[in-house]
């Protein structure tokens, strides 16, 4: 998801508006489930201790009442937070208060150490356990326990290792568990701690959160998942709180289990070994475990977290050796030697593409392959021809939106619903609400979703395969990677490790929370699941969560030869996890691993919000923290300065390219003097972005002062520049979230503006990204004036609103009012624009935009000066002119210097050009300006632009004698100084 912080308002927001959903609550039953009569023979304590029997349920996770965009799925409801809610325990004479049920406010942090925020030195504290989840509360205190263990205060407090891992509980008191306690088996129980007043009356009690002690005792580095030898297959599952685990084998993707194999546990890992002919079977794990969301011991059916294959319904793991020869396309093992050349990460440019968008509407693709992996193997399709065109111009990477197993789309296409008739939709008025009504009526039953609903991270999504059962999804995913590499494009996989689609013991899409309940998901101080990243936030600060992430990345890199990873909401992942991932991946070698890991690039969304903000859960991978690691993060500063406002403010707020101050659209942004200042401030922000968004880059700001990038502030008070190296900056102005570039320009610009002017603005915005230092990032279709009919959040808007047309006949503008749920509040702005035919580009506009875009790529890759790889090199070579209080509004002039004439301190990088000047004129007028520092240069218009089909840019002029530039309106002109004039 492309959530972001609104720097102008200094508040956290998601990529789209929240909407309430109704929740009905379930009352957890607290007596043992009669189905679960489990043996428990091991002694929890040494025989020298004589203790009464007792214990409490752990936390009961609350359902969230709001869900951000991309996740539109009913959640299994949990306990009501209503303090008046009382729940009767089946067969008991007492009632249990909601306070008791819904919270886990104590933390078991090490084997013999518990942390609890309680400050009464006179209280007596006890730990309670019940193997069958019989804990209950009466007037006399806690009942139904098996064991009651006295806890002692630890005067030394929590150790540094604990407070560093869990900084949010650093002020808690520490309590010792007796060293004779059999903690291993106690952790398989329902647990609680309670404090008593000096007179023996119960003061307070709560459940426990267990990730700390599980990490302390059971962190594991051995084999997990399925391991294959010539004769055997072993299955290994990390589940230290499970009471029993059984493998259920199926002969096929449907039907009843044919065999049950009990697993044996050693140190929290459940294992079994079987014959090689297990291969090809389907299986699930049946885990008997106490689950805090129901306060019961449950039998959960779960997939293998290390699954590499799945059934078409996603409910069963397919036992497959993904390294078998039958699953490899021809030439697969040698693909590392065919990878497109990548000199350094500074040479990367990224094109963000959704797999289904790429071909679902492409009639030149085999109908069986449309919207699927195999569409990328159709060499003569319109889409492949388009990608090849971009590759030949210099584009290096395609970023694929999530393609792991996600929820929200049935893998079996025969189950999908479709609109009645697309021709009927096409005949409706462009501002009609009927199109969205028909699309949203089936949106949860069709084949479309962006895929930010993680179910299993390590399996390709079945709906993109021609056959979701068996080997197709593995083989065809590899064919896609191979096909893209062979047309010159490396592949980035969008990974979503910050949250899960489902939790609890019953949801078919819940996996990790069934296996070790309460461990994989991050919880707040009350024990409720954190939902700030969408829902079911994961906790990479827990060792086995981090390990699963690292193992998954390794699988995609080695077994699927993916060339890079984009991390969704990377700020919700710990920095140490990201650094370990980078070091692990970049250490891979062709000889040992079959891939060159030094070419694998990592980047993500470094937004700092929610429970992880300001390092509340440890040092997270936010924009500021990740600086210096070589991992990239998205630069929302340049986006907001170019377009205006933020994606979460008023859509009429204007920016540098959309007419701020120079072409007001009628929206009140504070009067002319205020908008002039805003425009000059936006230019400062953009210039920092053009210089790689480096924190130490020095420029002259609009006030005439020399300032570092980190000294210039957003309207919310955050530094503009934060990167230490240019390859840590991903510059962009549009992405899958929020409106497309063309659509947002159509909203922000004056209503009467011509379509030609809007197309010029689209080009100037793209040029700022394309010619910046750092790594440029483009949303698929930016180069085609792509429209989603002004939909600000098309994650589930179907093929109709997300259509990409590589025949260039249409940009998809005016296909109806966008879906009501996320856009209705803006329909009064949207409707008149869609209804006005002057807003719709024709094919000639689209082709011109494409030519201008490929020209930008060719210019970027014509000189290494546009792709400087170090901060020092940028500081000494990149300079900005037309700065300070006397600047010409709407114009940014940038020069990039190479060695020339024996200039000391600068080495030669470019064999052709010794000096480059780029002038971005976003104003509506031709600009004439003199830049004294650029007098006497032998500058010429770049040869790509001299030969361009764009008549505007050909009018750009430079006069050496005066340093005078004349730049047409809404034009980016590039001038070069040749070392030797071409013949």
């Amino acid at each position: 998801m492309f959530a972001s912080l609104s720097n102008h308002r200094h508040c956290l927001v998601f990529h789209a508006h929240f909407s309430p959903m109704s929740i009905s609550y379930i009352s957890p039953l607290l007596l043992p489930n009669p189905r679960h009569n489990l043996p428990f023979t091991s002694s929890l304590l040494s025989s020298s201790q004589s203790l009464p029997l007792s214990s409490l349920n752990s936390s009961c996770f609350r359902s969230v009442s709001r869900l951000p965009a991309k996740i539109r799925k009913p959640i299994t409801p949990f306990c009501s937070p209503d303090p008046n809610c009382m729940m009767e325990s089946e067969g008991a004479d007492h009632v249990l208060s909601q306070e008791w049920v819904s919270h886990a406010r104590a933390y078991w942090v090490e084997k013999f150490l518990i942390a609890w925020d309680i400050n009464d030195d006179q209280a007596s504290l006890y730990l309670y356990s019940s193997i069958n989840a019989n804990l209950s509360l009466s007037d006399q205190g806690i009942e139904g326990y098996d064991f009651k263990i006295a806890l002692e205060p630890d005067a030394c407090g929590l150790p540094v290792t604990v407070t560093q891992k869990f900084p949010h509980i650093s002020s808690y008191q520490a309590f010792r568990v007796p060293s004779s306690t059999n903690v291993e088996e106690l952790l398989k129980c329902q647990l609680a701690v309670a404090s008593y007043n000096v007179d023996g009356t119960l003061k307070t009690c709560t459940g426990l959160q267990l990730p700390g002690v599980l990490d302390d005792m059971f962190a594991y580095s051995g084999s997990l998942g399925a391991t294959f030898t010539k004769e055997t297959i072993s299955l290994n599952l990390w589940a230290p709180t499970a009471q029993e685990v059984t493998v259920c084998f199926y002969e096929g993707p449907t039907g009843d289990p044919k065999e049950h194999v009990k697993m044996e546990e050693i140190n929290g890992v459940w294992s079994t070994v079987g014959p090689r002919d297990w291969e090809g079977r389907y299986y699930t794990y049946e885990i008997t475990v106490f689950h805090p969301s129901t306060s019961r011991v449950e039998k959960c059916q779960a997939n293998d977290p290390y699954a590499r294959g799945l059934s078409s319904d996603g409910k069963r793991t397919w036992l497959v050796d993904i390294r078998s020869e039958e699953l490899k396309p021809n030439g697969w093992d040698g693909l590392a030697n065919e990878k497109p050349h990548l000199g350094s990460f500074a040479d990367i440019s990224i094109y963000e593409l959704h797999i289904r968008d790429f071909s679902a509407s492409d009639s030149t693709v085999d109908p069986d392959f449309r919207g699927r992996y195999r569409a990328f193997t159709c060499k003569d399709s319109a889409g492949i021809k388009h990608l090849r065109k971009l590759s030949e111009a210099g584009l290096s990477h395609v970023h694929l939106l999530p393609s792991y197993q996600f929820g929200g789309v049935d893998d079996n296409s025969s189950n999908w619903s479709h609109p009645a008739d697309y021709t009927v939709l096409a005949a409706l008025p462009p501002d009609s609400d009927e199109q969205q009504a028909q699309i949203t009526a089936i949106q949860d039953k069709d084949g479309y979703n962006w895929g930010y609903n993680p179910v299993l991270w390590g399996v390709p999504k079945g709906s993109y395969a021609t056959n979701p059962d068996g080997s197709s999804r593995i083989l065809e995913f590899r064919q896609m990677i191979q096909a893209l590499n062979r047309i010159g494009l490396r592949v980035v996989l969008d990974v979503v490790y910050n949250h899960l689609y489902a939790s609890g013991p019953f949801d078919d899409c819940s996996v990790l929370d069934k296996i070790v309940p309460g461990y994989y998901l991050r919880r707040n101080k009350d024990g409720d699941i954190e939902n700030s990243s969408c829902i079911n936030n994961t906790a990479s600060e827990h060792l086995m969560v981090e390990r699963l992430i690292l193992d998954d990345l390794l699988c995609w890199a080695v077994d699927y030869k993916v060339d890079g990873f984009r991390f969704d909401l990377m700020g919700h992942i710990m920095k140490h996890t990201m650094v370990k991932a980078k070091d692990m991946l970049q250490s891979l070698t062709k000889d040992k691993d079959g891939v060159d890991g030094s070419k694998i690039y990592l980047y993500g969304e470094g937004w700092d919000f929610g429970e992880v903000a300001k390092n509340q859960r440890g040092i997270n991978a936010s924009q500021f923290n990740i600086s210096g690691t070589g991992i990239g993060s998205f630069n929302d500063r340049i986006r907001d300065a170019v377009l205006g406002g933020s994606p979460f403010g008023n859509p009429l707020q204007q920016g540098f390219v959309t007419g701020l101050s120079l072409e007001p659209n009628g929206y009140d942004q504070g009067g002319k003097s205020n908008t002039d200042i805003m425009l000059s401030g936006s230019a400062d922000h953009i210039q920092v972005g053009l210089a790689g968004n480096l924190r130490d880059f020095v420029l002259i700001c609009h006030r005439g002062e020399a300032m570092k990038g980190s000294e210039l502030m957003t309207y919310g008070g955050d530094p503009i520049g934060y990167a230490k190296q240019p390859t840590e900056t991903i510059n962009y102005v549009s992405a899958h979230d929020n409106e497309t570039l063309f659509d947002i320009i159509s909203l922000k610009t004056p209503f009467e503006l011509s379509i030609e002017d809007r197309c010029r603005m689209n080009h100037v915005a793209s040029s700022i990204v394309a010619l910046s230092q750092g790594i440029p990032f483009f949303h698929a279709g930016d180069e085609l004036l792509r429209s989603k009919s002004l939909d600000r959040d098309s994650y589930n808007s179907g093929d109709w609103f997300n259509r990409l047309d590589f025949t260039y006949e249409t940009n998809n503008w005016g296909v109806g009012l966008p879906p009501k749920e996320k856009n209705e509040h803006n329909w009064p702005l949207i409707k008149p624009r869609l209804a006005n035919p002057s807003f719709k580009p024709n094919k000639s506009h689209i082709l011109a935009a494409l030519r201008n875009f490929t020209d930008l790529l060719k210019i970027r890759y014509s000189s290494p000066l546009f792709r400087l790889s170090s901060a020092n090199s940028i500081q000494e070579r990149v300079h900005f002119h037309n700065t300070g209080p006397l600047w010409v509004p709407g114009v940014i002039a940038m020069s990039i210097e190479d060695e020339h004439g024996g200039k000391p301190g600068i080495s030669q990088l470019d064999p052709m050009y010794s000096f480059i000047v780029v002038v971005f004129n976003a104003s509506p007028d031709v600009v004439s300006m003199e830049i004294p520092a650029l007098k006497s240069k032998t500058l010429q218009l770049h040869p790509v632009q001299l030969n361009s089909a764009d008549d505007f840019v050909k009018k750009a002029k430079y006069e050496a004698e005066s340093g005078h530039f004349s730049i047409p309106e809404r034009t980016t002109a590039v001038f070069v100084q040749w070392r030797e004039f071409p013949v």
Side-chain angles (χ1 to χ4, degrees):
M1 130 193 32
F2 239 92
S4 173
L5 295 182
S6 171
N7 293 309
H8 296 302
R9 297 192 180 273
H10 200 54
C11 62
L12 71 92
V13 285
F14 291 105
H15 69 96
H17 295 277
F18 293 71
S19 60
M21 61 178 290
S22 60
I23 297 289
S24 57
Y25 294 100
I26 294 177
S27 299
L29 300 177
L30 301 173
L31 289 184
N33 186 336
R35 295 173 298 166
H36 302 160
N37 185 16
L38 305 174
F40 193 67
T41 57
S42 301
S43 173
L44 289 172
L45 300 164
S46 68
S47 58
S48 63
Q49 291 178 282
S50 177
L51 299 174
L53 304 172
S54 172
S55 188
L56 162 74
N57 69 294
S58 187
S59 98
C60 183
F61 304 148
R62 288 192 214 127
S63 288
V64 292
S65 61
R66 295 174 180 272
L67 288 181
K70 299 185 185 172
I71 300 281
R72 294 256 66 74
K73 171 183 185 296
I75 307 168
T76 303
F78 304 126
C79 301
S80 167
D82 183 356
N84 298 316
C85 177
M86 306 291 285
M87 288 169 240
E88 285 195 29
S89 189
E90 189 178 322
D93 297 329
H94 51 265
V95 292
L96 188 62
S97 72
Q98 177 63 28
E99 174 80 6
W100 176 287
V101 172
S102 63
H103 293 128
R105 290 171 169 160
Y107 293 70
W108 200 330
V109 292
E110 288 183 349
K111 186 172 184 178
F112 298 116
L113 194 65
I114 288 174
W116 194 7
D117 189 19
I118 188 169
N119 298 310
D120 188 349
D121 294 336
Q122 303 301 314
S124 300
L125 272 71
Y126 294 91
L127 171 66
Y128 294 87
S129 71
S130 171
I131 185 61
N132 287 322
N134 289 338
L135 294 178
S136 58
L137 183 63
S138 72
D139 293 340
Q140 288 72 43
I142 298 175
E143 295 184 350
Y145 54 82
D146 298 322
F147 291 92
K148 175 182 177 182
I149 303 166
L151 303 177
E152 293 295 331
D154 189 327
C156 296
L158 297 176
V160 173
T161 53
V162 171
T163 58
Q164 286 181 343
K165 183 169 184 172
F166 304 113
H168 62 297
I169 62 166
S170 59
S171 63
Y172 282 28
Q173 283 192 289
F175 299 92
R176 281 280 155 196
V177 178
S179 60
S180 55
T181 306
N182 188 334
V183 175
E184 289 86 347
E185 295 198 4
L186 204 65
L187 293 172
K188 298 179 183 295
C189 301
Q190 182 188 29
L191 298 169
V193 289
S195 69
Y196 291 83
N197 296 314
V198 291
D199 62 358
T201 58
L202 180 65
K203 182 177 182 181
T204 185
C205 57
T206 189
L208 289 109
Q209 299 189 37
L210 304 181
V213 67
L214 296 181
D215 281 349
D216 185 43
M217 296 179 63
F218 299 109
Y220 177 70
S221 60
S223 297
L224 291 173
T227 303
F228 296 80
T229 68
K230 288 184 178 180
E231 289 82 26
T232 65
I233 297 175
S234 61
L235 296 175
N236 301 282
L237 178 72
W238 187 76
T241 61
Q243 297 175 358
E244 184 177 313
V245 180
T246 300
V247 186
C248 304
F249 283 109
Y250 304 80
E251 290 301 319
T254 60
D256 296 327
K258 300 298 183 183
E259 183 180 1
H260 295 80
V261 178
K262 287 191 178 297
M263 304 181 80
E264 299 296 326
E265 181 190 15
I266 299 177
N267 296 328
V269 176
W270 298 79
S271 302
T272 189
V273 179
R276 183 72 193 212
D277 64 11
W278 275 2
E279 186 173 6
R281 289 187 178 187
Y282 290 84
Y283 70 99
T284 59
Y285 291 121
E286 183 178 78
I287 303 104
T288 303
V289 65
F290 172 76
H291 207 292
S293 70
T294 61
S295 299
R296 297 165 62 126
V297 175
E298 302 287 0
K299 280 192 176 180
C300 303
Q301 293 288 330
N303 276 304
D304 193 328
Y306 281 77
R308 299 296 178 245
L310 284 173
S311 60
S312 59
D313 59 8
K315 295 180 181 179
R316 298 172 188 178
T317 302
W318 185 46
L319 193 48
V320 58
D321 181 358
I322 61 170
R323 298 187 179 182
S324 67
E325 294 301 317
E326 292 77 13
L327 297 175
K328 298 177 181 177
N330 291 334
W332 178 251
D333 287 336
L335 186 60
N337 296 318
E338 295 183 53
K339 291 284 183 180
H341 175 72
L342 183 65
S344 77
F345 291 150
D347 295 329
I348 292 174
S349 54
I350 300 170
Y351 185 80
E352 182 198 44
L353 181 63
H354 184 254
I355 290 173
R356 184 162 180 84
D357 287 353
F358 174 66
S359 61
S361 303
D362 191 344
S363 62
T364 66
V365 171
D366 184 313
D368 292 335
F369 298 166
R370 291 176 196 167
R372 306 184 190 277
Y373 302 124
R374 290 199 64 183
F376 292 90
T377 67
C378 298
K379 297 179 181 179
D380 295 323
S381 72
I384 288 296
K385 288 179 179 177
H386 182 79
L387 289 183
R388 190 180 290 114
K389 191 177 301 180
L390 299 183
S391 172
E392 289 170 353
L395 186 75
S396 70
H397 285 63
V398 166
H399 159 165
L400 298 175
L401 265 65
S403 51
Y404 52 73
Q405 185 67 15
F406 58 80
V409 173
D410 195 314
D411 282 350
N412 191 335
S413 60
S414 64
N415 295 330
W416 296 349
S417 297
H418 305 275
D421 191 341
Y422 279 131
T423 59
V424 172
L425 295 183
L428 292 168
D431 61 337
S432 168
D433 63 359
E434 181 59 29
Q435 296 96 326
Q436 63 87 31
Q438 291 196 32
I439 296 301
T440 56
I442 56 147
Q443 65 180 3
D444 295 323
K445 300 176 183 178
D446 65 357
Y448 197 91
N449 196 288
W450 280 345
Y452 293 89
N453 306 332
V455 176
L456 279 163
W457 290 325
V459 185
K461 176 60 177 169
S463 65
Y464 294 143
T466 55
N467 182 356
D469 285 313
S471 62
S472 294
R473 62 173 87 196
I474 299 170
L475 178 62
E476 292 172 4
F477 190 99
R478 287 170 165 168
Q479 289 172 331
M480 174 182 67
I481 300 292
Q482 187 179 56
L484 284 166
N485 285 174
R486 286 178 172 174
I487 62 170
L489 295 168
R490 289 177 175 254
V491 181
V492 172
L493 190 63
D494 199 324
V495 288
V496 185
Y497 296 123
N498 60 82
H499 75 277
L500 295 169
Y501 188 42
S503 60
F506 308 122
D507 195 309
D508 288 340
C509 292
S510 175
V511 177
L512 297 176
D513 196 47
K514 291 178 178 177
I515 294 168
V516 192
Y519 177 81
Y520 287 95
L521 302 180
R522 187 179 289 136
R523 295 189 280 172
N524 65 21
K525 290 183 178 182
D526 287 335
D528 304 323
I529 297 174
E530 294 282 9
N531 296 296
S532 60
S533 72
C534 261
I535 188 172
N536 298 317
N537 294 6
T538 54
S540 66
E541 60 270 28
H542 303 162
L543 295 179
M544 297 303 287
V545 180
E546 178 179 82
R547 183 193 161 175
L548 180 56
I549 291 171
L550 296 177
D551 288 347
D552 188 69
L553 289 167
L554 193 63
C555 172
W556 288 111
V558 173
D559 295 316
Y560 289 98
K561 303 189 189 301
V562 169
D563 304 293
F565 297 93
R566 177 267 190 189
F567 290 78
D568 185 62
L569 292 188
M570 182 175 67
H572 270 60
I573 301 171
M574 292 299 110
K575 177 181 177 179
H576 58 71
T577 304
M578 293 300 304
V579 171
K580 286 180 184 178
K582 187 200 75 159
D583 292 345
M584 173 191 72
L585 292 171
Q586 293 184 1
S587 69
L588 300 174
T589 65
K590 289 184 185 180
D591 291 341
K592 179 170 61 75
D593 309 292
V595 297
D596 181 1
S598 69
K599 307 297 185 184
I600 295 177
Y601 180 65
L602 279 64
Y603 62 102
E605 295 175 300
W607 322 132
D608 191 41
F609 69 97
E611 76 281 0
V612 300
K614 302 188 185 305
N615 301 322
Q616 294 177 80
R617 294 301 182 99
I619 300 175
N620 64 323
S622 66
Q623 288 172 327
F624 298 105
N625 290 337
I626 210 71
S627 174
T629 65
I631 297 169
S633 65
F634 285 95
N635 178 15
D636 49 344
R637 283 88 160 128
I638 198 170
R639 175 201 67 191
D640 293 348
V642 168
L643 299 179
S646 80
F648 317 105
N650 191 298
L652 295 180
Q653 287 181 295
Q654 292 178 285
F656 183 82
V657 164
T658 56
L660 177 62
S661 188
L662 302 179
E663 286 183 290
N665 60 11
Y667 175 69
D668 184 4
Q669 292 187 246
K672 178 63 174 172
S673 60
N674 188 61
T675 57
D676 284 349
I677 294 172
M678 292 173 65
L679 179 61
S680 58
S682 295
D684 288 345
H685 296 185
I686 292 169
Q687 287 171 128
V688 175
L690 286 166
N693 215 53
L694 299 173
R695 66 180 191 178
D696 292 329
F697 181 82
V698 178
L699 75 159
I700 304 300
C701 75
H702 69 277
R703 294 188 299 272
E705 304 167 6
M707 300 186 74
K708 292 181 179 180
S710 59
E711 294 171 338
L712 289 164
M713 298 294 166
T714 68
Y715 296 110
D718 292 325
I720 293 295
Y722 57 81
K724 289 186 178 179
Q725 298 296 333
T727 52
E728 294 172 351
T729 294
I730 307 294
N731 282 327
Y732 76 111
V733 289
S734 71
H736 64 272
D737 273 324
N738 312 309
E739 294 89 350
T740 66
L741 176 58
F742 179 82
D743 281 353
I744 200 66
I745 288 172
S746 298
L747 278 173
K748 290 178 179 292
T749 50
F751 192 87
E752 64 278 4
L753 204 67
S754 71
I755 184 61
E756 287 76 20
D757 287 333
R758 292 194 178 93
C759 292
R760 300 296 303 175
M761 290 177 167
N762 196 98
H763 175 57
V764 174
S766 294
S767 73
I768 291 172
V769 172
L771 302 180
S772 63
Q773 304 295 332
I775 294 175
F777 176 100
F778 307 99
H779 179 41
D782 279 355
E783 75 284 11
L784 303 176
L785 309 177
R786 182 185 188 176
S787 173
K788 296 178 182 179
S789 210
L790 295 169
D791 190 350
R792 68 168 283 104
D793 186 10
S794 67
Y795 83 101
N796 201 16
S797 299
D799 298 325
W800 181 256
F801 287 98
N802 286 285
R803 181 186 179 193
L804 264 175
D805 180 9
F806 292 120
T807 67
Y808 316 134
E809 294 294 333
T810 176
N811 75 331
N812 211 45
W813 172 270
V815 295
L817 285 170
K820 178 178 182 178
E821 181 185 18
K822 302 294 175 54
N823 300 281
E824 185 179 19
H825 60 289
N826 281 332
W827 276 3
L829 291 176
I830 293 171
K831 188 176 177 66
R833 286 166 170 79
L834 294 180
N836 190 326
S838 72
F839 277 75
K840 184 178 178 64
N842 58 39
K843 187 173 184 177
S844 66
H845 295 121
I846 295 169
L847 289 173
L850 175 59
R851 286 192 296 266
N852 285 341
F853 184 83
T854 55
D855 282 352
L856 292 172
L857 288 176
K858 290 174 183 177
I859 291 170
R860 180 176 183 83
Y861 287 95
S862 71
S863 173
L865 298 179
F866 286 112
R867 310 186 308 280
L868 300 174
S869 59
S870 73
N872 287 340
S873 188
I874 290 175
Q875 185 64 66
E876 66 185 5
R877 296 170 185 269
V878 176
H879 302 283
F880 292 97
H881 313 274
N882 184 41
T883 59
L886 299 179
W887 83 305
V888 176
V891 180
I892 293 173
M894 174 180 71
S895 64
I896 315 173
E897 189 172 9
D898 202 16
E899 186 280 328
H900 61 94
K903 183 176 177 64
I906 296 182
S907 60
Q908 181 177 324
L909 298 178
D910 191 326
M912 290 193 302
Y913 309 134
S914 62
F915 206 88
I916 296 175
V917 176
V918 184
V919 184
F920 305 92
N921 179 14
S923 75
D925 302 309
V926 176
V927 166
S928 294
M929 57 189 297
E930 290 186 1
I931 303 178
L934 299 180
K935 286 172 60 175
S936 304
K937 301 290 183 184
T938 54
L939 296 173
Q940 291 187 353
L941 198 60
H942 195 288
V944 168
Q945 293 188 324
L946 280 172
N947 296 305
S948 173
D950 181 6
D951 292 332
F952 275 76
V953 77
K954 289 180 179 179
K955 298 175 183 177
K957 304 295 181 184
Y958 163 77
E959 295 176 3
E961 184 176 352
S962 60
H964 180 268
F965 290 85
S966 176
I967 310 296
E969 63 272 25
R970 300 187 181 95
T971 295
T972 296
V974 182
F975 298 87
V976 295
Q977 180 170 278
W978 291 85
R979 294 192 181 278
E980 295 182 7
F981 284 108
V983 177

